[in-house]
Amino acid sequence: QQPVQSPQAVILREGEDAVINCSSSKALYSVHWYRQKHGEAPVFLMILLKGGEQKGHEKISASFNEKKQQSSLYLTASQLSYSGTYFCGTVPNAGGTSYGKLTFGQGTILTVHP
Amino acid sequence: DVKVTQSSRYLVKRTGEKVFLECVQDMDHENMFWYRQDPGLGLRLIYFSYDVKMKEKGDIPEGYSVSREKKERFSLILESASTNQTSMYLCASRGGGAMRGYTFGSGTRLTVV
């Protein structure tokens, strides 16, 4: 079952902040975040392993709440270049090898205006 | 940088044709994946492979098969193309280790008429 992302879309002005959420019905081993610009391939942003880890990537950071089976992506002081569709991908905590097989959410469209 | 190359950017095929989508990666990655991307549905896993000649079904394997005869190449086969297989197809590869992300190819936009 796909994780659920919210919101489906968000519109910002440059400099504003945004939070994108990813919720799973399954216990998770890890969460990935990707950004896809229009007409391009998704690009890997970061990975979080179970343990409540928070990671940073320039002004983009993320957290992972293992107990709630949720991850959030934080974009601060947004720039025009942040526009795109953001996907979370989850790896279940299945107890066996999953080969890192990701199940992706439906995506969140982020638009940053000047 | 890892490079994942998909052989065609755009393809138009007729209903009933057998279609081959090719994907090559240049970093000796064990794991390779085929996803299709449709608006509002995100990326859905069709098949993946964790080694040469090894494959496993993903979430939507019906109507598709795959081949991995060499480590660097992973092919997606549409046995008899149908209009509901019109989509963007994305190939990805990933090396071993828990902290590795996917590297995606640029995608193949397939239209079945």
Side-chain angles (χ1 to χ4, degrees), chain A residues 2 34 36 39 41 47 100 102, chain B residues 9 35 37 41 45 98 102 105:
Chain A
Q2 287 182 279
Y34 293 80
Q36 184 179 32
I47 183 172
L102 287 176
Chain B
R9 187 76 173 107
Y35 286 85
Q37 183 174 20
L41 296 178
L45 182 64
Y102 282 19

Side-chain angles (χ1 to χ4, degrees), chain B residues 13-19 78-83 85 112-113:
Chain B
K13 296 292 182 180
R14 295 194 180 276
T15 301
E17 276 193 77
K18 192 168 186 176
V19 181
L78 286 67
E79 298 292 342
S80 177
S82 64
T83 54
Q85 292 179 310
V112 183
V113 298

Side-chain angles (χ1 to χ4, degrees), chain A residues 74-89:
Chain A
Y74 307 94
L75 300 104
T76 57
S78 59
Q79 306 167 14
L80 295 177
S81 61
Y82 286 4
S83 292
T85 302
Y86 289 78
F87 293 97
C88 67

Side-chain angles (χ1 to χ4, degrees), chain A residues 11-32:
Chain A
I11 299 173
L12 301 173
R13 294 215 175 269
E14 270 188 299
E16 291 182 337
D17 302 341
V19 180
I20 300 172
N21 300 302
C22 175
S23 296
S24 174
S25 59
K26 297 180 178 180
L28 298 177
Y29 174 74
S30 67
V31 179
H32 294 216

Side-chain angles (χ1 to χ4, degrees), chain A residues 91-104:
Chain A
V91 178
N93 191 21
T97 184
S98 66
Y99 305 106
K101 181 184 68 167
L102 287 176
T103 301
F104 286 93

Side-chain angles (χ1 to χ4, degrees), chain A residues 17-76:
Chain A
D17 302 341
V19 180
I20 300 172
N21 300 302
C22 175
S23 296
S24 174
S25 59
K26 297 180 178 180
L28 298 177
Y29 174 74
S30 67
V31 179
H32 294 216
W33 285 97
Y34 293 80
R35 176 172 62 207
Q36 184 179 32
K37 293 184 179 289
H38 185 68
E40 299 180 9
V43 173
F44 174 66
L45 294 177
M46 66 188 75
I47 183 172
L48 301 101
L49 301 182
K50 65 178 182 177
E53 184 173 348
Q54 181 150 0
K55 293 193 71 174
H57 181 80
E58 296 179 346
K59 294 180 183 176
I60 301 175
S61 62
S63 63
F64 177 24
N65 187 321
E66 181 187 347
K67 286 184 180 177
K68 292 186 177 180
Q69 297 160 190
Q70 290 177 346
S71 179
S72 295
L73 186 71
Y74 307 94
L75 300 104
T76 57

Side-chain angles (χ1 to χ4, degrees), chain B residues 44-87:
Chain B
R44 293 178 293 164
L45 182 64
I46 305 170
Y47 266 97
F48 70 100
S49 170
Y50 51 91
D51 204 346
V52 175
K53 297 190 186 294
M54 306 304 288
K55 60 187 179 184
E56 285 200 20
K57 294 179 180 179
D59 299 316
I60 52 165
E62 295 79 18
Y64 304 94
S65 62
V66 290
S67 173
R68 193 165 180 201
E69 297 296 319
K70 293 185 178 181
K71 194 172 187 178
E72 67 270 20
R73 185 180 297 270
F74 190 34
S75 302
L76 179 69
I77 304 156
L78 286 67
E79 298 292 342
S80 177
S82 64
T83 54
N84 63 14
Q85 292 179 310
T86 292
S87 187

